[in-house]
Structures are given as C-alpha cells and as structure tokens.
Amino acid sequence: MKVELFDFHLPEELIAQVPLVERDASKLMVLDKETGKVEHSSFKSILNLLNGGDCLVLNDTRVLPARLFGVKEDTGASIEILLLKQQENDVWETLVKPAKRVKEGTTLTFGNGVLKALCVGTTEHGGRLLQFQYEGIFYEVLESLGEMPLPPYIKETLDDQERYQTVFSRERGSAAAPTAGLHFTEEILEQLKEKGVHIAFITLHVGLGTFRPVSAERVEEHEMHSEFYQMTEGTARLLNSVKESGGRIISVGTTSTRTLESIATKHNGTFVEESGWTSIFIYPGYEFKAIDGMITNFHLPKSSLIMLVSALAGHQTVMKAYETAVAEKYRFFSFGDAMLIL
C-alpha cells in the first residue's frame, strides 16, 4: 500500500497554534465507521454519544519539560537537547542540536551547573546518550530548568504549560502529549461517570516519532518506534468486564489504541496487568481486537496516525472525512478539534 494514499492538502491556517480558552469548546466530527456518514457537533456533546456501560480509556501519561538549553563545558557553545527515553543509571536517549558538536566524552552544563550531562554514546538514528549529574531529585531539577517540547508545527509560545497536559495526567515520561485527551475537563469526566460510563486509565509514554511523516514509499516498509506502556490489574479487570457485558470500549487517542491493541493481541482479545514496550503499527488491513470506537484529533498527512485511523474506519471513508474537515475549517493537530469514530 502506497504512503501517498494518505496524503491530503491542508491549508496552513488550519493548523491550530494555540489551545482554545476552554478545553471542551472544540468542534467534534462524528464519523460512522460502517456507513461513512459524518455529523458535525461540539465536544460537549460527547455526553450524548456515549452510553452507560461503555468504557472510555484515557492515557494518563504526563509530558516532561524535556527541552533543555545549555552549553558545552569546554567551549561555552550553545546546545539544545530533547529528552526522549530514560535508560539505566541516569542515562537518557536524547536529540541534540547541533549534534555534530557533541561527541562521546563531551560534557554539557545547564542552569549554571545545576545539571550536567556527559555524552556516553550515540544511537543508530543520530541521537546522543547522555548521563546526567545533579543534586536532589532529577524530575524536580528538570521542572526548574526544562521547557515544554511543543511539536515543530506550533510556532506560538504557550502561555500556560498545563494546557499541553491533560487534566488527568500523572505518570511522568512523555516527550509529547496524548492530544486527544486535551479536550476533556474534570466536569465532563464526572458527568460521564454519572451517566454510567466507565473511565479507565492506561499509560503510554509518547515518543516524538509518533508525529513524524512516514518516509518509506510503501506503508509496509515503515518501522515504528518503541514506546513504554503499562496497564494495571484494575484496568484490565474493568475492560474484561465491559467486554463481557456488551459495553463498547472507546479509546481516547492513538496512544491508548496502540496500548489496548498491543495487550489484546498478545492475550487473545483479553486484557491483563502488563507493562513493556510496544512498536505495534496499525494500518488498513489490521483486525481490531480491543476497541469498538475512538476519539482522536486530526492528524498529519502521511503519518502513522492517519493510517491507524484509516484502519478503524476505512481508508476512503477517512480521507473523505478529512476533505470535509478541511472544507468546514476544522482545526488540525495537537491543539485542534476532535473526531469520534463509532
């Protein structure tokens, strides 16, 4: 299957640069995955579209202030780094700009020496392995020095850093937000619970590779990056109960979807307490084993995300829906509007 099939024209002005004042003020496109019918609504109408007995699955990962600005200790040259993945002994996989200045053995300093990092290796994709040195608790040091790593298509400065976090974020570790969850408020979640909709949480720490366009010519040639996920025993028990009772499992975002499908694939359509790394790649032809529907944002052309959505609702159906979204001036990407696929 050619990657070009997932391309579409997106006017630059439709790329949302800032979040709306109210999280739940976004528009909601409702897409029937069986008929292809599209309805236009507001996100608050989610209360009328989910039924008692359904289960909404949210990713509770929290974005790290993972962008750091520092200098090379020996020359004072400016360096920018982005934390990607934690390894052992305070070693992190990172992206460094400019990378050519940082070779193995180079020491970097941040915040006038509050944080230091020694380059101890490189990765196959050109990243750097940095071993950090600090006093106290690493995440507290990072909170004081780091900045939120907004995607490159967002040019505006974010006034409130919490607007790039979901209201239910708690497990620190992401390089990017699970953006479909940004639309939810505590009030909507409470109203859903009152209606009898179950709320379940999983964790998947989002890597930056999620948002990159697929560079291969054919979809099948693309290799997904690996991301850490976790499901608790309580969530597994709830999801199995919902399935047995005939309720629908609605994932919020592609990250929740990939976690649920990774676990269900390994365990014959059931859920178990589990943590690990997943590189599952979902594209048309994939048979879903976990979810019945999904809430998601509008994604980049030729990305693995639009391929996942197309696997659920059908390639032609999704591309037609995206044409409609452009015509109706929906807002795209991280701070954009939402789509509900049922």
Side-chain angles (χ1 to χ4, degrees):
M1 179 178 285
K2 290 187 176 181
V3 171
E4 290 295 331
L5 291 171
F6 298 91
D7 197 9
F8 63 93
H9 173 66
L10 179 65
E12 190 171 345
E13 63 268 21
L14 296 186
I15 300 174
Q17 292 295 317
V18 294
L20 298 175
V21 175
E22 302 294 333
R23 288 179 180 265
D24 57 2
S26 51
K27 294 197 287 187
L28 180 69
M29 176 184 286
V30 184
L31 176 63
D32 187 316
K33 65 179 189 284
E34 304 301 332
T35 66
K37 181 182 178 184
V38 165
E39 294 181 4
H40 304 289
S41 191
S42 65
F43 193 79
K44 291 179 181 178
S45 70
I46 201 78
L47 294 166
N48 304 319
L49 296 166
L50 301 182
N51 305 323
D54 289 343
C55 185
L56 203 61
V57 185
L58 304 161
N59 183 3
D60 64 4
T61 189
R62 185 166 176 82
V63 185
L64 295 173
R67 180 166 277 125
L68 289 164
F69 297 91
V71 297
K72 287 180 66 179
E73 190 173 61
D74 55 352
T75 66
S78 297
I79 294 291
E80 176 185 342
I81 73 166
L82 187 63
L83 303 178
L84 295 181
K85 185 187 297 183
Q86 186 174 15
Q87 300 185 350
E88 294 180 348
N89 301 322
D90 286 317
V91 174
W92 282 77
E93 181 182 332
T94 69
L95 292 177
V96 176
K97 289 197 306 188
K100 63 183 179 182
R101 287 186 181 172
V102 179
K103 297 178 171 60
E104 198 165 337
T106 302
T107 297
L108 309 176
T109 67
F110 308 90
N112 296 318
V114 172
L115 182 66
K116 291 191 175 186
L118 174 66
C119 180
V120 296
T122 60
T123 69
E124 60 178 315
H125 299 298
R128 297 293 186 268
L129 298 176
L130 300 182
Q131 184 166 36
F132 286 94
Q133 303 155 17
Y134 53 91
E135 295 289 334
I137 299 171
F138 178 74
Y139 287 115
E140 291 182 359
V141 175
L142 190 61
E143 289 285 347
S144 68
L145 296 178
E147 294 184 5
M148 202 61 74
L150 294 176
Y153 47 74
I154 293 178
K155 313 299 183 186
E156 298 289 331
T157 302
L158 186 61
D159 294 332
D160 179 5
Q161 299 291 302
E162 281 299 306
R163 286 299 275 110
Y164 195 58
Q165 306 278 14
T166 63
V167 297
F168 44 82
S169 65
R170 58 183 177 217
E171 300 292 336
R172 291 182 293 202
S174 271
T179 55
L182 294 177
H183 305 281
F184 285 90
T185 63
E186 291 173 356
E187 290 77 14
I188 282 183
L189 291 172
E190 282 303 315
Q191 290 171 328
L192 286 168
K193 288 179 188 175
E194 290 170 8
K195 187 176 179 178
V197 175
H198 304 288
I199 307 294
F201 294 97
I202 54 87
T203 303
L204 183 134
H205 292 322
V206 188
L208 288 183
T210 295
F211 303 105
R212 291 183 181 136
V214 175
S215 57
E217 287 188 14
R218 297 192 64 80
V219 172
E220 297 83 358
E221 297 168 355
H222 177 65
E223 288 187 18
M224 290 289 287
H225 56 288
S226 185
E227 295 170 320
F228 179 80
Y229 70 88
Q230 187 169 349
M231 178 180 286
T232 65
E233 181 184 0
T235 292
R237 195 183 319 116
L238 172 58
L239 291 172
N240 287 328
S241 173
V242 168
K243 263 198 175 298
E244 289 167 10
S245 61
R248 298 177 298 180
I249 294 178
I250 313 296
S251 60
V252 177
T254 58
T255 62
S256 296
T257 301
R258 293 179 68 237
T259 303
L260 295 173
E261 292 297 325
S262 295
I263 294 172
T265 296
K266 289 171 65 176
H267 300 283
N268 297 315
T270 61
F271 303 99
V272 299
E273 178 184 9
E274 186 173 271
S275 64
W277 295 83
T278 180
S279 56
I280 189 172
F281 181 23
I282 298 173
Y283 55 88
Y286 177 85
E287 292 186 15
F288 284 85
K289 303 159 190 71
I291 69 167
D292 302 290
M294 175 170 59
I295 297 170
T296 186
N297 281 16
F298 291 90
H299 303 297
L300 279 74
K302 298 195 287 187
S303 65
S304 64
L305 308 180
I306 193 172
M307 293 171 190
L308 186 154
V309 174
S310 297
L312 182 62
H315 169 258
Q316 289 186 331
T317 297
V318 167
M319 299 313 292
K320 188 174 180 181
Y322 268 58
E323 283 182 21
T324 301
V326 170
E328 295 293 329
K329 295 188 169 16
Y330 275 70
R331 301 165 76 246
F332 277 68
F333 304 165
S334 296
F335 290 136
D337 295 316
M339 172 190 282
L340 172 63
I341 303 171
L342 287 175

